[in-house]
Amino acid sequence: MKRRNSLFAIFGDPVSHSVSPLMHNYAFSGLGFPGCYTRYRLAEGSQLRRKFLDLSLSGVNVTVPHKEAAYLACDEVRGIAREIEAVNTIIREEGKLIGYNTDAPGFLKSALAFGEIRSVAILGAGGTAKALAAIFRREGVETAILNRSSGRLEYFVARGYRACDWEQWKPKAYDLVVNTTSAGLQEQTLPAPGEILEPLLRDARYAIDVIYNRQTPFLQLAKTLGKPAKDGSEMLLYQGVIAFDHFTAHRYDEEEITRWMRRAFA
Ligand code: NDP
């Protein structure tokens, strides 16, 4: 097998908080792959491709706010990323930049660890909501979107999802409720009014907040109502495992990669 060059990075703004370098470097050293993973604060998404090439990188992860720019920067986009139109993992393959989205399958793996899911209500209508909606639809899961304002709902309505703002919402039971809004990240606020959220969570089987390392008001409410609930750490871990699998051309067992990357969360 042709050996890849070995420098990888995460591009984003900000990136100082990112745990990705730790995850990937634990896995490189644990698995004996001669790789090094660093972080690079990229202010302009339009510079992504040039920076990738200037730094002679073998692969990158891309975080906020450049996932759409990353989609445009690639020579070829594969898998679910084509539907989502957002890329968080790029590898270099025979001189071409190939893009993937590993957030969506990473989240799915975390969600399915709860058990079977036949329906999901997604709170928020941004980039993460698009990724989750696309992967759940692919799995045949009934998917609804609930957002505080109507502007971003058009994307979902045009694709045939049930998509409502708080005013239009009619109660219905869903197996899983996911918070993809940033409510709870800075301020201690719920992602939707209590009179909508409480019945939604009471009728649900599971809850996930994609925000990680934080007991958000959403997670606290789900737990108060006795629901199995988790934060976004597992999503972060699994998106990293799938990205690493692309970086290293599928040469390692995913369980092994997961075992090494978990150390970053200890
Ligand atoms: P976007 O900015 O694309 O979308 C944010 C959405 O949240 C919008 O629909 C917005 O509504 C809504 N929103 C924002 N603030 C509030 C609030 N106070 N109350 C209710 N709704 C609100 O964000 P992303 O989709 O890119 O990211 C969302 C979250 O997901 C972030 O916290 C990010 O850290 C996390 N994330 C976690 C990952 C992981 O691996 N665990 C991976 C990727 C993201 P409106 O349309 O009305 O403005």
Side-chain angles (χ1 to χ4, degrees), residues 30-56:
L31 294 165
F33 183 89
C36 181
Y37 189 112
T38 186
R39 64 184 88 228
Y40 187 90
R41 189 177 76 81
L42 186 74
E44 293 296 326
S46 58
Q47 298 302 304
L48 193 147
R49 186 184 173 91
R50 193 177 61 77
K51 223 4 117 183
F52 186 107
L53 297 172
D54 283 356
L55 295 173
S56 295

mmCIF file with all atom_site columns, all heavy atoms in Angstrom, residues 30-56:
data_model
loop_
_atom_site.group_PDB
_atom_site.id
_atom_site.type_symbol
_atom_site.label_atom_id
_atom_site.label_alt_id
_atom_site.label_comp_id
_atom_site.label_asym_id
_atom_site.label_entity_id
_atom_site.label_seq_id
_atom_site.pdbx_PDB_ins_code
_atom_site.Cartn_x
_atom_site.Cartn_y
_atom_site.Cartn_z
_atom_site.occupancy
_atom_site.B_iso_or_equiv
_atom_site.pdbx_formal_charge
_atom_site.auth_seq_id
_atom_site.auth_comp_id
_atom_site.auth_asym_id
_atom_site.auth_atom_id
_atom_site.pdbx_PDB_model_num
ATOM 1   N N   . GLY A 1 30 ? -0.911  5.262  19.480 1.00 0.00 ? 30 GLY A N   1
ATOM 2   C CA  . GLY A 1 30 ? -1.361  3.948  19.956 1.00 0.00 ? 30 GLY A CA  1
ATOM 3   C C   . GLY A 1 30 ? -1.325  2.883  18.874 1.00 0.00 ? 30 GLY A C   1
ATOM 4   O O   . GLY A 1 30 ? -0.988  1.725  19.139 1.00 0.00 ? 30 GLY A O   1
ATOM 5   N N   . LEU A 1 31 ? -1.660  3.274  17.652 1.00 0.00 ? 31 LEU A N   1
ATOM 6   C CA  . LEU A 1 31 ? -1.732  2.296  16.559 1.00 0.00 ? 31 LEU A CA  1
ATOM 7   C C   . LEU A 1 31 ? -0.430  2.215  15.762 1.00 0.00 ? 31 LEU A C   1
ATOM 8   O O   . LEU A 1 31 ? -0.307  1.425  14.823 1.00 0.00 ? 31 LEU A O   1
ATOM 9   C CB  . LEU A 1 31 ? -2.891  2.652  15.622 1.00 0.00 ? 31 LEU A CB  1
ATOM 10  C CG  . LEU A 1 31 ? -4.283  2.525  16.276 1.00 0.00 ? 31 LEU A CG  1
ATOM 11  C CD1 . LEU A 1 31 ? -5.343  3.231  15.452 1.00 0.00 ? 31 LEU A CD1 1
ATOM 12  C CD2 . LEU A 1 31 ? -4.652  1.070  16.479 1.00 0.00 ? 31 LEU A CD2 1
ATOM 13  N N   . GLY A 1 32 ? 0.523   3.081  16.098 1.00 0.00 ? 32 GLY A N   1
ATOM 14  C CA  . GLY A 1 32 ? 1.827   3.034  15.423 1.00 0.00 ? 32 GLY A CA  1
ATOM 15  C C   . GLY A 1 32 ? 1.813   3.616  14.028 1.00 0.00 ? 32 GLY A C   1
ATOM 16  O O   . GLY A 1 32 ? 2.665   3.282  13.197 1.00 0.00 ? 32 GLY A O   1
ATOM 17  N N   . PHE A 1 33 ? 0.870   4.526  13.753 1.00 0.00 ? 33 PHE A N   1
ATOM 18  C CA  . PHE A 1 33 ? 0.836   5.191  12.447 1.00 0.00 ? 33 PHE A CA  1
ATOM 19  C C   . PHE A 1 33 ? 1.709   6.439  12.517 1.00 0.00 ? 33 PHE A C   1
ATOM 20  O O   . PHE A 1 33 ? 1.587   7.234  13.453 1.00 0.00 ? 33 PHE A O   1
ATOM 21  C CB  . PHE A 1 33 ? -0.609  5.578  12.101 1.00 0.00 ? 33 PHE A CB  1
ATOM 22  C CG  . PHE A 1 33 ? -0.765  6.201  10.734 1.00 0.00 ? 33 PHE A CG  1
ATOM 23  C CD1 . PHE A 1 33 ? -0.998  5.395  9.627  1.00 0.00 ? 33 PHE A CD1 1
ATOM 24  C CD2 . PHE A 1 33 ? -0.668  7.584  10.555 1.00 0.00 ? 33 PHE A CD2 1
ATOM 25  C CE1 . PHE A 1 33 ? -1.140  5.965  8.363  1.00 0.00 ? 33 PHE A CE1 1
ATOM 26  C CE2 . PHE A 1 33 ? -0.802  8.150  9.300  1.00 0.00 ? 33 PHE A CE2 1
ATOM 27  C CZ  . PHE A 1 33 ? -1.042  7.342  8.200  1.00 0.00 ? 33 PHE A CZ  1
ATOM 28  N N   . PRO A 1 34 ? 2.607   6.658  11.538 1.00 0.00 ? 34 PRO A N   1
ATOM 29  C CA  . PRO A 1 34 ? 3.534   7.793  11.637 1.00 0.00 ? 34 PRO A CA  1
ATOM 30  C C   . PRO A 1 34 ? 2.866   9.109  11.248 1.00 0.00 ? 34 PRO A C   1
ATOM 31  O O   . PRO A 1 34 ? 3.221   9.738  10.244 1.00 0.00 ? 34 PRO A O   1
ATOM 32  C CB  . PRO A 1 34 ? 4.635   7.414  10.644 1.00 0.00 ? 34 PRO A CB  1
ATOM 33  C CG  . PRO A 1 34 ? 3.939   6.580  9.624  1.00 0.00 ? 34 PRO A CG  1
ATOM 34  C CD  . PRO A 1 34 ? 2.841   5.847  10.328 1.00 0.00 ? 34 PRO A CD  1
ATOM 35  N N   . GLY A 1 35 ? 1.886   9.522  12.027 1.00 0.00 ? 35 GLY A N   1
ATOM 36  C CA  . GLY A 1 35 ? 1.138   10.743 11.713 1.00 0.00 ? 35 GLY A CA  1
ATOM 37  C C   . GLY A 1 35 ? 1.262   11.771 12.813 1.00 0.00 ? 35 GLY A C   1
ATOM 38  O O   . GLY A 1 35 ? 1.582   11.455 13.957 1.00 0.00 ? 35 GLY A O   1
ATOM 39  N N   . CYS A 1 36 ? 0.982   13.020 12.448 1.00 0.00 ? 36 CYS A N   1
ATOM 40  C CA  . CYS A 1 36 ? 0.954   14.107 13.427 1.00 0.00 ? 36 CYS A CA  1
ATOM 41  C C   . CYS A 1 36 ? -0.231  14.995 13.076 1.00 0.00 ? 36 CYS A C   1
ATOM 42  O O   . CYS A 1 36 ? -0.475  15.277 11.900 1.00 0.00 ? 36 CYS A O   1
ATOM 43  C CB  . CYS A 1 36 ? 2.258   14.894 13.373 1.00 0.00 ? 36 CYS A CB  1
ATOM 44  S SG  . CYS A 1 36 ? 2.276   16.224 14.563 1.00 0.00 ? 36 CYS A SG  1
ATOM 45  N N   . TYR A 1 37 ? -0.982  15.419 14.088 1.00 0.00 ? 37 TYR A N   1
ATOM 46  C CA  . TYR A 1 37 ? -2.222  16.164 13.853 1.00 0.00 ? 37 TYR A CA  1
ATOM 47  C C   . TYR A 1 37 ? -2.146  17.463 14.636 1.00 0.00 ? 37 TYR A C   1
ATOM 48  O O   . TYR A 1 37 ? -1.888  17.471 15.842 1.00 0.00 ? 37 TYR A O   1
ATOM 49  C CB  . TYR A 1 37 ? -3.395  15.304 14.339 1.00 0.00 ? 37 TYR A CB  1
ATOM 50  C CG  . TYR A 1 37 ? -4.780  15.803 13.989 1.00 0.00 ? 37 TYR A CG  1
ATOM 51  C CD1 . TYR A 1 37 ? -5.575  15.106 13.087 1.00 0.00 ? 37 TYR A CD1 1
ATOM 52  C CD2 . TYR A 1 37 ? -5.320  16.934 14.603 1.00 0.00 ? 37 TYR A CD2 1
ATOM 53  C CE1 . TYR A 1 37 ? -6.872  15.528 12.785 1.00 0.00 ? 37 TYR A CE1 1
ATOM 54  C CE2 . TYR A 1 37 ? -6.604  17.368 14.298 1.00 0.00 ? 37 TYR A CE2 1
ATOM 55  C CZ  . TYR A 1 37 ? -7.367  16.655 13.396 1.00 0.00 ? 37 TYR A CZ  1
ATOM 56  O OH  . TYR A 1 37 ? -8.655  17.069 13.100 1.00 0.00 ? 37 TYR A OH  1
ATOM 57  N N   . THR A 1 38 ? -2.359  18.579 13.948 1.00 0.00 ? 38 THR A N   1
ATOM 58  C CA  . THR A 1 38 ? -2.261  19.876 14.602 1.00 0.00 ? 38 THR A CA  1
ATOM 59  C C   . THR A 1 38 ? -3.533  20.695 14.357 1.00 0.00 ? 38 THR A C   1
ATOM 60  O O   . THR A 1 38 ? -4.469  20.204 13.735 1.00 0.00 ? 38 THR A O   1
ATOM 61  C CB  . THR A 1 38 ? -0.993  20.615 14.103 1.00 0.00 ? 38 THR A CB  1
ATOM 62  O OG1 . THR A 1 38 ? -0.842  21.816 14.847 1.00 0.00 ? 38 THR A OG1 1
ATOM 63  C CG2 . THR A 1 38 ? -1.086  20.961 12.623 1.00 0.00 ? 38 THR A CG2 1
ATOM 64  N N   . ARG A 1 39 ? -3.544  21.907 14.884 1.00 0.00 ? 39 ARG A N   1
ATOM 65  C CA  . ARG A 1 39 ? -4.714  22.770 14.665 1.00 0.00 ? 39 ARG A CA  1
ATOM 66  C C   . ARG A 1 39 ? -4.276  24.019 13.921 1.00 0.00 ? 39 ARG A C   1
ATOM 67  O O   . ARG A 1 39 ? -3.146  24.483 14.094 1.00 0.00 ? 39 ARG A O   1
ATOM 68  C CB  . ARG A 1 39 ? -5.390  23.119 15.990 1.00 0.00 ? 39 ARG A CB  1
ATOM 69  C CG  . ARG A 1 39 ? -4.546  23.932 16.922 1.00 0.00 ? 39 ARG A CG  1
ATOM 70  C CD  . ARG A 1 39 ? -5.248  24.165 18.253 1.00 0.00 ? 39 ARG A CD  1
ATOM 71  N NE  . ARG A 1 39 ? -4.978  23.099 19.208 1.00 0.00 ? 39 ARG A NE  1
ATOM 72  C CZ  . ARG A 1 39 ? -5.895  22.469 19.922 1.00 0.00 ? 39 ARG A CZ  1
ATOM 73  N NH1 . ARG A 1 39 ? -7.163  22.813 19.829 1.00 0.00 ? 39 ARG A NH1 1
ATOM 74  N NH2 . ARG A 1 39 ? -5.573  21.511 20.755 1.00 0.00 ? 39 ARG A NH2 1
ATOM 75  N N   . TYR A 1 40 ? -5.193  24.561 13.104 1.00 0.00 ? 40 TYR A N   1
ATOM 76  C CA  . TYR A 1 40 ? -4.863  25.770 12.349 1.00 0.00 ? 40 TYR A CA  1
ATOM 77  C C   . TYR A 1 40 ? -6.086  26.676 12.319 1.00 0.00 ? 40 TYR A C   1
ATOM 78  O O   . TYR A 1 40 ? -7.155  26.281 11.815 1.00 0.00 ? 40 TYR A O   1
ATOM 79  C CB  . TYR A 1 40 ? -4.434  25.411 10.920 1.00 0.00 ? 40 TYR A CB  1
ATOM 80  C CG  . TYR A 1 40 ? -3.932  26.613 10.162 1.00 0.00 ? 40 TYR A CG  1
ATOM 81  C CD1 . TYR A 1 40 ? -2.582  26.954 10.199 1.00 0.00 ? 40 TYR A CD1 1
ATOM 82  C CD2 . TYR A 1 40 ? -4.818  27.431 9.458  1.00 0.00 ? 40 TYR A CD2 1
ATOM 83  C CE1 . TYR A 1 40 ? -2.131  28.092 9.530  1.00 0.00 ? 40 TYR A CE1 1
ATOM 84  C CE2 . TYR A 1 40 ? -4.367  28.563 8.795  1.00 0.00 ? 40 TYR A CE2 1
ATOM 85  C CZ  . TYR A 1 40 ? -3.027  28.892 8.836  1.00 0.00 ? 40 TYR A CZ  1
ATOM 86  O OH  . TYR A 1 40 ? -2.589  30.017 8.193  1.00 0.00 ? 40 TYR A OH  1
ATOM 87  N N   . ARG A 1 41 ? -5.927  27.879 12.874 1.00 0.00 ? 41 ARG A N   1
ATOM 88  C CA  . ARG A 1 41 ? -7.063  28.811 12.854 1.00 0.00 ? 41 ARG A CA  1
ATOM 89  C C   . ARG A 1 41 ? -7.155  29.445 11.478 1.00 0.00 ? 41 ARG A C   1
ATOM 90  O O   . ARG A 1 41 ? -6.231  30.131 11.041 1.00 0.00 ? 41 ARG A O   1
ATOM 91  C CB  . ARG A 1 41 ? -6.901  29.909 13.914 1.00 0.00 ? 41 ARG A CB  1
ATOM 92  C CG  . ARG A 1 41 ? -8.161  30.756 14.057 1.00 0.00 ? 41 ARG A CG  1
ATOM 93  C CD  . ARG A 1 41 ? -8.018  31.794 15.150 1.00 0.00 ? 41 ARG A CD  1
ATOM 94  N NE  . ARG A 1 41 ? -7.183  32.906 14.724 1.00 0.00 ? 41 ARG A NE  1
ATOM 95  C CZ  . ARG A 1 41 ? -7.610  33.934 13.977 1.00 0.00 ? 41 ARG A CZ  1
ATOM 96  N NH1 . ARG A 1 41 ? -8.859  34.000 13.572 1.00 0.00 ? 41 ARG A NH1 1
ATOM 97  N NH2 . ARG A 1 41 ? -6.761  34.890 13.627 1.00 0.00 ? 41 ARG A NH2 1
ATOM 98  N N   . LEU A 1 42 ? -8.230  29.150 10.790 1.00 0.00 ? 42 LEU A N   1
ATOM 99  C CA  . LEU A 1 42 ? -8.423  29.647 9.425  1.00 0.00 ? 42 LEU A CA  1
ATOM 100 C C   . LEU A 1 42 ? -9.545  30.680 9.453  1.00 0.00 ? 42 LEU A C   1
ATOM 101 O O   . LEU A 1 42 ? -10.700 30.351 9.725  1.00 0.00 ? 42 LEU A O   1
ATOM 102 C CB  . LEU A 1 42 ? -8.802  28.476 8.504  1.00 0.00 ? 42 LEU A CB  1
ATOM 103 C CG  . LEU A 1 42 ? -8.903  28.792 7.024  1.00 0.00 ? 42 LEU A CG  1
ATOM 104 C CD1 . LEU A 1 42 ? -7.518  28.975 6.415  1.00 0.00 ? 42 LEU A CD1 1
ATOM 105 C CD2 . LEU A 1 42 ? -9.636  27.669 6.283  1.00 0.00 ? 42 LEU A CD2 1
ATOM 106 N N   . ALA A 1 43 ? -9.188  31.931 9.179  1.00 0.00 ? 43 ALA A N   1
ATOM 107 C CA  . ALA A 1 43 ? -10.197 32.990 9.268  1.00 0.00 ? 43 ALA A CA  1
ATOM 108 C C   . ALA A 1 43 ? -11.114 32.977 8.047  1.00 0.00 ? 43 ALA A C   1
ATOM 109 O O   . ALA A 1 43 ? -12.328 33.172 8.161  1.00 0.00 ? 43 ALA A O   1
ATOM 110 C CB  . ALA A 1 43 ? -9.510  34.343 9.427  1.00 0.00 ? 43 ALA A CB  1
ATOM 111 N N   . GLU A 1 44 ? -10.541 32.728 6.869  1.00 0.00 ? 44 GLU A N   1
ATOM 112 C CA  . GLU A 1 44 ? -11.315 32.815 5.622  1.00 0.00 ? 44 GLU A CA  1
ATOM 113 C C   . GLU A 1 44 ? -11.507 31.429 5.007  1.00 0.00 ? 44 GLU A C   1
ATOM 114 O O   . GLU A 1 44 ? -10.536 30.792 4.590  1.00 0.00 ? 44 GLU A O   1
ATOM 115 C CB  . GLU A 1 44 ? -10.563 33.690 4.604  1.00 0.00 ? 44 GLU A CB  1
ATOM 116 C CG  . GLU A 1 44 ? -10.452 35.144 4.987  1.00 0.00 ? 44 GLU A CG  1
ATOM 117 C CD  . GLU A 1 44 ? -11.814 35.827 5.057  1.00 0.00 ? 44 GLU A CD  1
ATOM 118 O OE1 . GLU A 1 44 ? -12.701 35.458 4.260  1.00 0.00 ? 44 GLU A OE1 1
ATOM 119 O OE2 . GLU A 1 44 ? -11.989 36.696 5.931  1.00 0.00 ? 44 GLU A OE2 1
ATOM 120 N N   . GLY A 1 45 ? -12.751 31.012 4.892  1.00 0.00 ? 45 GLY A N   1
ATOM 121 C CA  . GLY A 1 45 ? -13.045 29.707 4.291  1.00 0.00 ? 45 GLY A CA  1
ATOM 122 C C   . GLY A 1 45 ? -12.561 29.616 2.852  1.00 0.00 ? 45 GLY A C   1
ATOM 123 O O   . GLY A 1 45 ? -12.192 28.539 2.372  1.00 0.00 ? 45 GLY A O   1
ATOM 124 N N   . SER A 1 46 ? -12.535 30.759 2.165  1.00 0.00 ? 46 SER A N   1
ATOM 125 C CA  . SER A 1 46 ? -12.114 30.769 0.762  1.00 0.00 ? 46 SER A CA  1
ATOM 126 C C   . SER A 1 46 ? -10.631 30.388 0.609  1.00 0.00 ? 46 SER A C   1
ATOM 127 O O   . SER A 1 46 ? -10.179 30.052 -0.481 1.00 0.00 ? 46 SER A O   1
ATOM 128 C CB  . SER A 1 46 ? -12.358 32.154 0.155  1.00 0.00 ? 46 SER A CB  1
ATOM 129 O OG  . SER A 1 46 ? -11.653 33.115 0.912  1.00 0.00 ? 46 SER A OG  1
ATOM 130 N N   . GLN A 1 47 ? -9.882  30.452 1.727  1.00 0.00 ? 47 GLN A N   1
ATOM 131 C CA  . GLN A 1 47 ? -8.446  30.127 1.695  1.00 0.00 ? 47 GLN A CA  1
ATOM 132 C C   . GLN A 1 47 ? -8.167  28.654 2.025  1.00 0.00 ? 47 GLN A C   1
ATOM 133 O O   . GLN A 1 47 ? -7.009  28.232 2.070  1.00 0.00 ? 47 GLN A O   1
ATOM 134 C CB  . GLN A 1 47 ? -7.699  31.001 2.716  1.00 0.00 ? 47 GLN A CB  1
ATOM 135 C CG  . GLN A 1 47 ? -7.783  32.483 2.437  1.00 0.00 ? 47 GLN A CG  1
ATOM 136 C CD  . GLN A 1 47 ? -7.227  32.816 1.058  1.00 0.00 ? 47 GLN A CD  1
ATOM 137 O OE1 . GLN A 1 47 ? -6.096  32.493 0.760  1.00 0.00 ? 47 GLN A OE1 1
ATOM 138 N NE2 . GLN A 1 47 ? -8.041  33.448 0.226  1.00 0.00 ? 47 GLN A NE2 1
ATOM 139 N N   . LEU A 1 48 ? -9.224  27.892 2.245  1.00 0.00 ? 48 LEU A N   1
ATOM 140 C CA  . LEU A 1 48 ? -9.054  26.532 2.765  1.00 0.00 ? 48 LEU A CA  1
ATOM 141 C C   . LEU A 1 48 ? -8.215  25.638 1.845  1.00 0.00 ? 48 LEU A C   1
ATOM 142 O O   . LEU A 1 48 ? -7.257  24.998 2.272  1.00 0.00 ? 48 LEU A O   1
ATOM 143 C CB  . LEU A 1 48 ? -10.444 25.930 3.002  1.00 0.00 ? 48 LEU A CB  1
ATOM 144 C CG  . LEU A 1 48 ? -10.525 24.643 3.813  1.00 0.00 ? 48 LEU A CG  1
ATOM 145 C CD1 . LEU A 1 48 ? -11.822 24.614 4.616  1.00 0.00 ? 48 LEU A CD1 1
ATOM 146 C CD2 . LEU A 1 48 ? -10.472 23.416 2.936  1.00 0.00 ? 48 LEU A CD2 1
ATOM 147 N N   . ARG A 1 49 ? -8.564  25.644 0.588  1.00 0.00 ? 49 ARG A N   1
ATOM 148 C CA  . ARG A 1 49 ? -7.863  24.773 -0.361 1.00 0.00 ? 49 ARG A CA  1
ATOM 149 C C   . ARG A 1 49 ? -6.380  25.161 -0.484 1.00 0.00 ? 49 ARG A C   1
ATOM 150 O O   . ARG A 1 49 ? -5.496  24.311 -0.443 1.00 0.00 ? 49 ARG A O   1
ATOM 151 C CB  . ARG A 1 49 ? -8.560  24.841 -1.729 1.00 0.00 ? 49 ARG A CB  1
ATOM 152 C CG  . ARG A 1 49 ? -7.981  23.870 -2.730 1.00 0.00 ? 49 ARG A CG  1
ATOM 153 C CD  . ARG A 1 49 ? -8.641  24.030 -4.102 1.00 0.00 ? 49 ARG A CD  1
ATOM 154 N NE  . ARG A 1 49 ? -7.938  23.194 -5.040 1.00 0.00 ? 49 ARG A NE  1
ATOM 155 C CZ  . ARG A 1 49 ? -8.256  21.929 -5.323 1.00 0.00 ? 49 ARG A CZ  1
ATOM 156 N NH1 . ARG A 1 49 ? -9.300  21.375 -4.759 1.00 0.00 ? 49 ARG A NH1 1
ATOM 157 N NH2 . ARG A 1 49 ? -7.538  21.230 -6.162 1.00 0.00 ? 49 ARG A NH2 1
ATOM 158 N N   . ARG A 1 50 ? -6.142  26.475 -0.591 1.00 0.00 ? 50 ARG A N   1
ATOM 159 C CA  . ARG A 1 50 ? -4.768  26.948 -0.742 1.00 0.00 ? 50 ARG A CA  1
ATOM 160 C C   . ARG A 1 50 ? -3.936  26.582 0.489  1.00 0.00 ? 50 ARG A C   1
ATOM 161 O O   . ARG A 1 50 ? -2.804  26.119 0.384  1.00 0.00 ? 50 ARG A O   1
ATOM 162 C CB  . ARG A 1 50 ? -4.755  28.467 -0.957 1.00 0.00 ? 50 ARG A CB  1
ATOM 163 C CG  . ARG A 1 50 ? -3.411  28.992 -1.434 1.00 0.00 ? 50 ARG A CG  1
ATOM 164 C CD  . ARG A 1 50 ? -3.427  30.486 -1.704 1.00 0.00 ? 50 ARG A CD  1
ATOM 165 N NE  . ARG A 1 50 ? -3.743  31.287 -0.528 1.00 0.00 ? 50 ARG A NE  1
ATOM 166 C CZ  . ARG A 1 50 ? -2.896  31.545 0.459  1.00 0.00 ? 50 ARG A CZ  1
ATOM 167 N NH1 . ARG A 1 50 ? -1.662  31.075 0.425  1.00 0.00 ? 50 ARG A NH1 1
ATOM 168 N NH2 . ARG A 1 50 ? -3.272  32.270 1.499  1.00 0.00 ? 50 ARG A NH2 1
ATOM 169 N N   . LYS A 1 51 ? -4.524  26.752 1.668  1.00 0.00 ? 51 LYS A N   1
ATOM 170 C CA  . LYS A 1 51 ? -3.808  26.439 2.915  1.00 0.00 ? 51 LYS A CA  1
ATOM 171 C C   . LYS A 1 51 ? -3.510  24.942 2.996  1.00 0.00 ? 51 LYS A C   1
ATOM 172 O O   . LYS A 1 51 ? -2.413  24.525 3.379  1.00 0.00 ? 51 LYS A O   1
ATOM 173 C CB  . LYS A 1 51 ? -4.689  26.854 4.085  1.00 0.00 ? 51 LYS A CB  1
ATOM 174 C CG  . LYS A 1 51 ? -4.109  27.550 5.259  1.00 0.00 ? 51 LYS A CG  1
ATOM 175 C CD  . LYS A 1 51 ? -2.689  27.919 5.252  1.00 0.00 ? 51 LYS A CD  1
ATOM 176 C CE  . LYS A 1 51 ? -2.466  29.402 5.322  1.00 0.00 ? 51 LYS A CE  1
ATOM 177 N NZ  . LYS A 1 51 ? -1.040  29.760 5.252  1.00 0.00 ? 51 LYS A NZ  1
ATOM 178 N N   . PHE A 1 52 ? -4.487  24.146 2.632  1.00 0.00 ? 52 PHE A N   1
ATOM 179 C CA  . PHE A 1 52 ? -4.304  22.684 2.645  1.00 0.00 ? 52 PHE A CA  1
ATOM 180 C C   . PHE A 1 52 ? -3.087  22.308 1.787  1.00 0.00 ? 52 PHE A C   1
ATOM 181 O O   . PHE A 1 52 ? -2.218  21.543 2.207  1.00 0.00 ? 52 PHE A O   1
ATOM 182 C CB  . PHE A 1 52 ? -5.576  22.018 2.087  1.00 0.00 ? 52 PHE A CB  1
ATOM 183 C CG  . PHE A 1 52 ? -5.611  20.515 2.156  1.00 0.00 ? 52 PHE A CG  1
ATOM 184 C CD1 . PHE A 1 52 ? -6.435  19.864 3.068  1.00 0.00 ? 52 PHE A CD1 1
ATOM 185 C CD2 . PHE A 1 52 ? -4.826  19.728 1.315  1.00 0.00 ? 52 PHE A CD2 1
ATOM 186 C CE1 . PHE A 1 52 ? -6.478  18.472 3.140  1.00 0.00 ? 52 PHE A CE1 1
ATOM 187 C CE2 . PHE A 1 52 ? -4.863  18.340 1.376  1.00 0.00 ? 52 PHE A CE2 1
ATOM 188 C CZ  . PHE A 1 52 ? -5.691  17.716 2.298  1.00 0.00 ? 52 PHE A CZ  1
ATOM 189 N N   . LEU A 1 53 ? -3.017  22.891 0.596  1.00 0.00 ? 53 LEU A N   1
ATOM 190 C CA  . LEU A 1 53 ? -1.940  22.547 -0.337 1.00 0.00 ? 53 LEU A CA  1
ATOM 191 C C   . LEU A 1 53 ? -0.612  23.161 0.108  1.00 0.00 ? 53 LEU A C   1
ATOM 192 O O   . LEU A 1 53 ? 0.428   22.495 0.085  1.00 0.00 ? 53 LEU A O   1
ATOM 193 C CB  . LEU A 1 53 ? -2.305  22.999 -1.752 1.00 0.00 ? 53 LEU A CB  1
ATOM 194 C CG  . LEU A 1 53 ? -3.554  22.301 -2.339 1.00 0.00 ? 53 LEU A CG  1
ATOM 195 C CD1 . LEU A 1 53 ? -3.972  22.951 -3.657 1.00 0.00 ? 53 LEU A CD1 1
ATOM 196 C CD2 . LEU A 1 53 ? -3.325  20.802 -2.528 1.00 0.00 ? 53 LEU A CD2 1
ATOM 197 N N   . ASP A 1 54 ? -0.644  24.427 0.567  1.00 0.00 ? 54 ASP A N   1
ATOM 198 C CA  . ASP A 1 54 ? 0.593   25.094 1.020  1.00 0.00 ? 54 ASP A CA  1
ATOM 199 C C   . ASP A 1 54 ? 1.252   24.331 2.164  1.00 0.00 ? 54 ASP A C   1
ATOM 200 O O   . ASP A 1 54 ? 2.479   24.268 2.256  1.00 0.00 ? 54 ASP A O   1
ATOM 201 C CB  . ASP A 1 54 ? 0.292   26.510 1.529  1.00 0.00 ? 54 ASP A CB  1
ATOM 202 C CG  . ASP A 1 54 ? 0.082   27.486 0.376  1.00 0.00 ? 54 ASP A CG  1
ATOM 203 O OD1 . ASP A 1 54 ? 0.257   27.067 -0.787 1.00 0.00 ? 54 ASP A OD1 1
ATOM 204 O OD2 . ASP A 1 54 ? -0.279  28.654 0.651  1.00 0.00 ? 54 ASP A OD2 1
ATOM 205 N N   . LEU A 1 55 ? 0.432   23.787 3.048  1.00 0.00 ? 55 LEU A N   1
ATOM 206 C CA  . LEU A 1 55 ? 0.972   23.080 4.222  1.00 0.00 ? 55 LEU A CA  1
ATOM 207 C C   . LEU A 1 55 ? 1.294   21.609 3.916  1.00 0.00 ? 55 LEU A C   1
ATOM 208 O O   . LEU A 1 55 ? 1.699   20.868 4.803  1.00 0.00 ? 55 LEU A O   1
ATOM 209 C CB  . LEU A 1 55 ? -0.024  23.152 5.392  1.00 0.00 ? 55 LEU A CB  1
ATOM 210 C CG  . LEU A 1 55 ? -0.286  24.549 5.973  1.00 0.00 ? 55 LEU A CG  1
ATOM 211 C CD1 . LEU A 1 55 ? -1.418  24.519 6.995  1.00 0.00 ? 55 LEU A CD1 1
ATOM 212 C CD2 . LEU A 1 55 ? 0.975   25.109 6.623  1.00 0.00 ? 55 LEU A CD2 1
ATOM 213 N N   . SER A 1 56 ? 1.056   21.210 2.664  1.00 0.00 ? 56 SER A N   1
ATOM 214 C CA  . SER A 1 56 ? 1.296   19.810 2.244  1.00 0.00 ? 56 SER A CA  1
ATOM 215 C C   . SER A 1 56 ? 0.601   18.807 3.166  1.00 0.00 ? 56 SER A C   1
ATOM 216 O O   . SER A 1 56 ? 1.198   17.825 3.605  1.00 0.00 ? 56 SER A O   1
ATOM 217 C CB  . SER A 1 56 ? 2.794   19.486 2.228  1.00 0.00 ? 56 SER A CB  1
ATOM 218 O OG  . SER A 1 56 ? 3.421   20.257 1.248  1.00 0.00 ? 56 SER A OG  1
#
